[in-house]
Amino acid sequence: MLVSIRLRGSDQYACGGTVLNESYVLTSATCLAESSIFGITVAAGHHYLTDSNRIVRQVDGIFVHPNYTGAASGYLHDIAILHLAQ
């Protein structure tokens, strides 16, 4: 299942992710590079950004690949895992 990741407490789509299981979501480290853990949510179960029937969960942990390089080195190891609070 695909999910929408929203940053800084907004309801605006920032990037996508893939559900790994009921507690973890896989996404791009680039998406989270400048983000604080506070205010990150994951929304699932909708087909359009305007759908109100969706499940939203808070993120309480971010695990960025330890060898992620960012733009300076071509975005190597560009993955991150999000842990959901519930």
Side-chain angles (χ1 to χ4, degrees):
M1 175 183 282
L2 298 177
V3 296
S4 171
I5 298 171
R6 289 94 187 287
L7 306 178
R8 293 176 283 288
S10 90
D11 198 32
Q12 298 294 317
Y13 171 86
C15 54
T18 302
V19 174
L20 297 176
N21 62 31
E22 65 275 357
S23 299
Y24 293 96
V25 171
L26 175 69
T27 191
S28 164
T30 302
C31 176
L32 306 167
E34 302 297 322
S35 297
S36 160
I37 191 170
F38 301 104
I40 298 177
T41 58
V42 173
H46 63 280
H47 295 68
Y48 302 98
L49 295 177
T50 56
D51 281 352
S52 60
N53 296 332
R54 61 180 179 242
I55 299 167
V56 178
R57 298 290 185 254
Q58 292 288 116
V59 172
D60 67 0
I62 301 173
F63 306 95
V64 175
H65 192 289
N67 296 325
Y68 171 63
T69 61
S73 299
Y75 298 104
L76 298 175
H77 310 288
D78 188 13
I79 60 171
I81 303 288
L82 303 178
H83 183 264
L84 305 179
Q86 53 182 195

